[in-house]
Amino acid sequence: MQFDNSRPIYMQIMEFIKKQLARGELQPGQKIPSQREMAAELQVNPNTVQRAYREMETMGLLETLRGQGTFISNRPGLLQEIKVELAGSILKRFIVEMRSLGLSAVEIRNLVNQALDQEEEGKSCKAINPRGTCQPHW
Amino acid sequence: MQFDNSRPIYMQIMEFIKKQLARGELQPGQKIPSQREMAAELQVNPNTVQRAYREMETMGLLETLRGQGTFISNRPGLLQEIKVELAGSILKRFIVEMRSLGLSAVEIRNLVNQALDQEEEGKSCKAINPRGTCQPHW
Amino acid sequence: MQFDNSRPIYMQIMEFIKKQLARGELQPGQKIPSQREMAAELQVNPNTVQRAYREMETMGLLETLRGQGTFISNRPGLLQEIKVELAGSILKRFIVEMRSLGLSAVEIRNLVNQALDQEEEGKSCKAINPRGTCQPHW
Amino acid sequence: MQFDNSRPIYMQIMEFIKKQLARGELQPGQKIPSQREMAAELQVNPNTVQRAYREMETMGLLETLRGQGTFISNRPGLLQEIKVELAGSILKRFIVEMRSLGLSAVEIRNLVNQALDQEEEGKSCKAINPRGTCQPHW
DNA sequence: GTGGTCTAGACCACC
DNA sequence: GTGGTCTAGACCACT
């Protein structure tokens, strides 16, 4: 894994795990790599991994059992919370990037709507005409 | 600059220059660093830079004058094209990421609308009450 | 200050500050010693102090401003929360110690009631007869 | 063992031995370590240990047999006396600490009663439902 | 083996 | 000066 110098490594590790969870690659209750293993894999100091794990435990995302390992919490609603949080940060970054191109709120809204509409068309088109000439417009 | 292993470096260099252009950090007609300079700065093989420059010249984005250097094209409408292209790729990535969280088109639409509405509220709020208790709702 | 080997130092620092706050020696909004100062005073590594400060910030007890220092939060109700928390831990320890002497719940209750009653008597006694023969019974 | 700078060490040694007695770790009639041994173990001057032993002998807690060593007294009722004394000092400290948080006698009384009641509930709960959802209320 | 704490010392970002 | 992050390496407690 590659780290971005602009943000703390421990935060990137947190996000890495959250994304795995949101994508279903990690299941609630599942054991995650030990601090030492993760540190070796990411080529990072074990203390940095611990910081990430500890913060996630404080947030109720992980549960640690001394001598046994660290586990994804199986608190109900966990997955939903994480997805909402990730969606929020993706959305935020998206809007910042679009605005930096000089787009107005109305333009952003229209572009999103177009893109989603075309996605829908794409699906229905595919259903009717699997190998047809149905193409996105841009 | 950091490169992402998932895509060819020359493409990332192209995107890097396009973004500078979209943000106004580079102006049409302006000279950009020589291939050797750019290669040294990015710590990349000069051939990689050359490939990026060549493709951008093909696309009408750069113009090379033998013995003088490489310049941002002066073609009218260039900036707009680039912005549209960048907006398209940002939008595409955004929708892929949101979908990977399991969100439906309707949900994405609603989230974007909410976020943009709140941005507006934030602005008016700020105008009236610069350090007030104006907070985002989520 | 002396540290007890049985509990982590950072937790003892947290308790130290909480007690100062409960006793009114620290006021909400007040600046507390910098991490380095506190570390020098307590003869502890700055990282250990930082851990204590960070956890207290997470709990909403402190607020840190980069480049300026660390401050007692002035969130309303803060003092009350801390007092309740401290009272809980004092009470817990008290009951454990009393039980380890083999005392039953009823006996503990009676002893506490006696002690508080005598405290009251002591006060009224003192008011009537400042240098009298008013003595505790044990 | 750790010593507290606020009180004389010999008193802390006395309390240390009394607590061991109250907890049953020392039995009436049992030989305790020699002054030299105890001094070495606690890393304290032998004179300090001697002072503690002497005071406890005066109180009838210890008995010294020249050439044989120092023993816990066999006097009947000794254990009970010690427990009462320790309970008194624990109680005193408890009330001082609670008062320093600004709690009134009534409040202290209520908190103690609550805590003891919940302890009872906990026990019955445990008896019926060993791993159930029985939780303290604060 | 696991996680938890602590130190020493480095470098950074902010004010 | 302040707080924030990171490393390297130590020792401990638990299973």
Side-chain angles (χ1 to χ4, degrees):
Chain A
M1 187 181 171
Q2 293 279 23
F3 293 109
D4 175 355
N5 284 329
S6 68
R7 288 174 310 156
I9 294 176
Y10 77 92
M11 283 189 182
Q12 297 182 56
I13 296 175
M14 288 168 69
E15 217 167 82
F16 174 58
I17 293 175
K18 283 182 196 164
K19 282 187 179 165
Q20 284 183 297
L21 232 161
R23 279 198 295 264
E25 296 167 16
L26 287 175
Q27 301 291 336
Q30 183 179 340
K31 188 175 185 303
I32 63 174
S34 78
Q35 296 176 1
R36 287 166 176 83
E37 279 173 11
M38 184 66 90
E41 191 186 330
L42 301 181
Q43 300 187 58
V44 161
N45 189 290
N47 283 327
T48 304
V49 175
Q50 197 188 36
R51 169 96 190 251
Y53 281 19
R54 196 185 332 127
E55 303 246 333
M56 294 176 90
E57 190 181 11
T58 304
M59 295 166 54
L61 227 144
L62 299 183
E63 285 173 9
T64 60
L65 297 179
R66 168 139 40 184
Q68 292 187 250
T70 305
F71 302 80
I72 304 289
S73 163
N74 42 30
R75 180 163 55 78
L78 177 77
L79 232 76
Q80 190 52 29
E81 279 175 35
I82 293 187
K83 285 186 178 178
V84 168
E85 186 200 328
L86 286 176
S89 63
I90 290 169
L91 186 53
K92 205 170 172 182
R93 185 159 51 85
F94 168 67
I95 290 180
V96 167
E97 285 180 335
M98 292 304 258
R99 292 235 98 129
S100 80
L101 293 180
L103 295 172
S104 72
V106 175
E107 287 168 324
I108 294 174
R109 218 183 291 259
N110 289 339
L111 283 172
V112 170
N113 286 336
Q114 276 176 38
L116 291 170
D117 289 346
Q118 284 164 19
E119 221 188 1
E120 284 302 313
E121 286 175 29
K123 262 195 273 179
S124 58
C125 170
K126 212 171 178 181
I128 298 168
N129 182 8
R131 276 171 297 176
T133 56
C134 208
Q135 295 295 335
H137 308 160
W138 51 270
Chain B
M1 186 183 167
Q2 295 277 24
F3 291 108
D4 176 356
N5 286 328
S6 67
R7 291 174 308 158
I9 291 178
Y10 81 91
M11 282 190 182
Q12 296 182 55
I13 295 175
M14 289 169 67
E15 205 164 277
F16 174 60
I17 292 176
K18 286 181 194 165
K19 281 189 178 167
Q20 284 183 298
L21 199 55
R23 281 198 293 266
E25 294 165 17
L26 287 175
Q27 301 290 337
Q30 183 179 338
K31 186 177 185 297
I32 63 174
S34 74
Q35 294 178 6
R36 283 184 184 79
E37 281 170 6
M38 183 67 89
E41 191 186 332
L42 301 182
Q43 300 184 52
V44 157
N45 191 302
N47 287 328
T48 307
V49 175
Q50 192 182 30
R51 168 115 188 237
Y53 280 23
R54 191 176 359 116
E55 302 250 342
M56 293 173 89
E57 196 175 358
T58 306
M59 293 164 57
L61 220 145
L62 299 183
E63 286 171 5
T64 304
L65 297 179
R66 192 187 299 254
Q68 295 193 35
T70 306
F71 300 80
I72 303 290
S73 166
N74 257 319
R75 181 160 55 78
L78 175 73
L79 231 73
Q80 191 51 30
E81 279 174 35
I82 302 248
K83 284 187 180 179
V84 168
E85 185 199 333
L86 284 177
S89 64
I90 290 169
L91 185 55
K92 207 170 174 180
R93 184 161 49 86
F94 167 68
I95 290 180
V96 167
E97 286 179 335
M98 293 302 259
R99 292 238 101 134
S100 79
L101 293 181
L103 295 173
S104 72
V106 176
E107 286 169 326
I108 295 174
R109 219 184 292 260
N110 289 340
L111 283 172
V112 170
N113 286 336
Q114 274 178 38
L116 290 170
D117 289 348
Q118 283 166 20
E119 219 188 3
E120 284 303 312
E121 285 177 29
K123 262 196 272 184
S124 57
C125 170
K126 211 171 178 180
I128 299 169
N129 182 8
R131 273 172 298 177
T133 55
C134 212
Q135 296 294 339
H137 307 161
W138 51 272
Chain C
M1 187 182 169
Q2 294 278 25
F3 293 110
D4 176 356
N5 284 327
S6 69
R7 289 174 311 155
I9 293 176
Y10 78 91
M11 283 190 183
Q12 297 182 55
I13 296 175
M14 290 169 70
E15 217 167 81
F16 174 59
I17 293 176
K18 284 182 195 166
K19 283 186 178 166
Q20 285 183 298
L21 200 56
R23 281 198 294 266
E25 295 166 17
L26 287 175
Q27 301 290 336
Q30 184 179 338
K31 186 176 185 301
I32 63 175
S34 77
Q35 296 176 2
R36 287 167 176 83
E37 278 171 11
M38 184 66 91
E41 192 187 328
L42 301 181
Q43 300 187 60
V44 158
N45 189 290
N47 283 327
T48 304
V49 174
Q50 197 188 37
R51 168 97 191 251
Y53 281 19
R54 196 187 330 128
E55 302 245 334
M56 294 176 90
E57 190 182 11
T58 304
M59 295 165 54
L61 228 143
L62 300 181
E63 285 173 7
T64 61
L65 298 178
R66 166 134 49 179
Q68 291 188 248
T70 306
F71 302 81
I72 304 287
S73 164
N74 41 29
R75 179 163 56 79
L78 178 76
L79 233 75
Q80 190 52 29
E81 278 175 36
I82 293 188
K83 285 187 180 178
V84 168
E85 186 199 329
L86 286 177
S89 63
I90 291 169
L91 186 54
K92 206 170 172 182
R93 186 160 49 86
F94 168 67
I95 289 180
V96 167
E97 286 179 336
M98 292 303 258
R99 294 235 97 133
S100 79
L101 293 181
L103 295 173
S104 72
V106 176
E107 287 168 326
I108 295 174
R109 219 184 290 259
N110 289 339
L111 283 172
V112 170
N113 286 338
Q114 276 177 38
L116 291 170
D117 290 346
Q118 284 166 18
E119 222 188 1
E120 284 302 312
E121 285 176 29
K123 264 196 270 182
S124 57
C125 171
K126 212 171 176 180
I128 299 168
N129 181 8
R131 276 172 298 176
T133 55
C134 210
Q135 295 294 336
H137 306 161
W138 48 272
Chain D
M1 187 185 167
Q2 294 277 22
F3 292 107
D4 176 357
N5 285 329
S6 68
R7 290 172 309 156
I9 290 178
Y10 80 92
M11 283 190 182
Q12 296 183 56
I13 295 175
M14 288 168 67
E15 206 165 275
F16 174 58
I17 293 175
K18 285 181 195 166
K19 281 188 179 166
Q20 285 182 296
L21 200 55
R23 280 199 291 263
E25 295 167 14
L26 288 176
Q27 301 291 336
Q30 184 179 338
K31 188 175 184 301
I32 64 173
S34 75
Q35 294 178 7
R36 282 184 182 82
E37 282 170 6
M38 183 66 88
E41 192 187 329
L42 301 181
Q43 300 186 49
V44 158
N45 190 301
N47 287 328
T48 306
V49 176
Q50 193 183 29
R51 169 115 188 234
Y53 280 23
R54 190 171 7 109
E55 302 250 343
M56 294 174 89
E57 196 176 358
T58 305
M59 294 165 56
L61 221 145
L62 299 183
E63 284 172 7
T64 303
L65 296 182
R66 191 188 299 257
Q68 294 193 35
T70 304
F71 300 81
I72 305 290
S73 165
N74 255 319
R75 182 159 54 76
L78 176 73
L79 231 75
Q80 191 52 30
E81 279 174 34
I82 302 245
K83 285 187 178 178
V84 168
E85 186 200 330
L86 284 177
S89 64
I90 291 169
L91 186 54
K92 208 169 172 180
R93 183 160 53 84
F94 168 67
I95 290 180
V96 167
E97 286 180 333
M98 292 303 259
R99 291 239 102 133
S100 78
L101 292 181
L103 295 173
S104 71
V106 176
E107 288 169 323
I108 295 174
R109 218 184 292 260
N110 289 339
L111 284 172
V112 170
N113 287 336
Q114 276 177 38
L116 291 171
D117 289 347
Q118 283 166 20
E119 219 189 1
E120 284 303 314
E121 284 176 31
K123 262 195 272 181
S124 58
C125 171
K126 212 172 178 180
I128 299 167
N129 183 8
R131 275 172 296 176
T133 57
C134 211
Q135 295 294 336
H137 307 160
W138 51 270

